[in-house]
Amino acid sequence: MNSKIRIIFLFIYLFISFRITAQYDEYSIKAVYLEKFTHYIEWPEDSSEVFTIATIGSNPLKEKAELLFKERKIKSRPVLFIEVAPNSLNDEINILFISKDQKNSLRNILKKISDKPILTIADTDGFIEEGVHINFFLEDNKVFFEINEEALKRSGIRARYQLLRLAKNFGREE
């Protein structure tokens, strides 16, 4: 193999490796945010023995969050991670992360759980306007989040002022 071809393959390998690493770093940050959100969100009384975080659709968040919560608890309960389909949503879920590949199903998903105390989180442009509670987005290669307070109120979940103040859209006229 001549040296030009080796350089091209090396460049492609490094580019792909960098993209994969950057993606996982982004989702590691989102997993940390997820953990921090739980300190500033108040759910109605829940008597279940575990705190359930569900993902719907494909994304690397579940893997990153499972590592983070391996030895931690939320609201004094061990954390259970599950993957769900849109038709298997139930009241036992505390947090639901909705992937961007669910864009066509989003309205139906939110309709099924809009009156339930399930914190919905996503990372797709336009999802916050559809009724997702918290939406991550990237700006200047940094992870930020926005909050839909009205959707939170409808679900019976309350966010403390400290969290609302950190949201990128806090105080912005809609």
Side-chain angles (χ1 to χ4, degrees), residues 5-166:
I5 293 174
R6 284 185 185 159
I7 290 172
I8 290 171
F9 279 122
L10 178 63
F11 178 77
I12 291 170
Y13 173 76
L14 290 174
F15 179 75
I16 291 171
S17 296
F18 176 77
R19 297 278 299 175
I20 290 171
T21 302
Q23 180 185 16
Y24 284 124
D25 289 344
E26 174 189 336
Y27 279 94
S28 294
I29 292 167
K30 290 175 182 178
V32 170
Y33 266 120
L34 180 71
E35 193 272 332
K36 297 301 179 196
F37 291 156
T38 64
H39 298 281
Y40 298 97
I41 296 287
E42 296 174 11
W43 283 266
E45 283 298 313
D46 184 356
S47 61
S48 64
E49 294 179 17
V50 296
F51 190 94
T52 304
I53 300 175
T55 57
I56 189 166
S58 60
N59 65 69
L61 182 71
K62 182 179 180 278
E63 175 187 325
K64 296 297 181 177
E66 279 180 321
L67 289 173
L68 180 67
F69 287 105
K70 195 173 193 174
E71 302 296 322
R72 296 182 185 187
K73 293 183 176 188
I74 296 177
K75 308 291 183 189
S76 302
R77 296 181 281 168
V79 181
L80 172 67
F81 286 91
I82 60 173
E83 293 179 24
V84 295
N87 60 353
S88 64
L89 296 168
N90 62 54
D91 292 353
E92 297 172 11
I93 297 169
N94 299 100
I95 296 176
L96 176 64
F97 186 88
I98 306 167
S99 299
K100 62 184 79 183
D101 63 3
Q102 298 299 306
K103 191 169 193 152
N104 294 333
S105 304
L106 182 63
R107 285 190 179 166
N108 289 332
I109 292 167
L110 294 176
K111 188 176 182 180
K112 286 180 184 178
I113 61 171
S114 65
D115 61 340
K116 296 177 178 28
I118 299 172
L119 180 67
T120 56
I121 301 176
D123 61 356
T124 304
D125 189 39
F127 276 25
I128 199 83
E129 292 84 4
E130 292 293 330
V132 168
H133 300 139
I134 299 175
N135 189 62
F136 291 115
F137 62 95
L138 294 177
E139 190 173 284
D140 297 326
N141 290 323
K142 294 179 184 161
V143 177
F144 292 96
F145 65 93
E146 54 193 347
I147 296 176
N148 184 327
E149 290 183 71
E150 289 304 313
L152 271 174
K153 288 177 188 174
R154 283 192 303 272
S155 69
I157 299 170
R158 195 169 90 75
R160 293 188 188 153
Y161 175 78
Q162 296 91 333
L163 180 64
L164 295 172
R165 188 178 52 142
L166 292 174

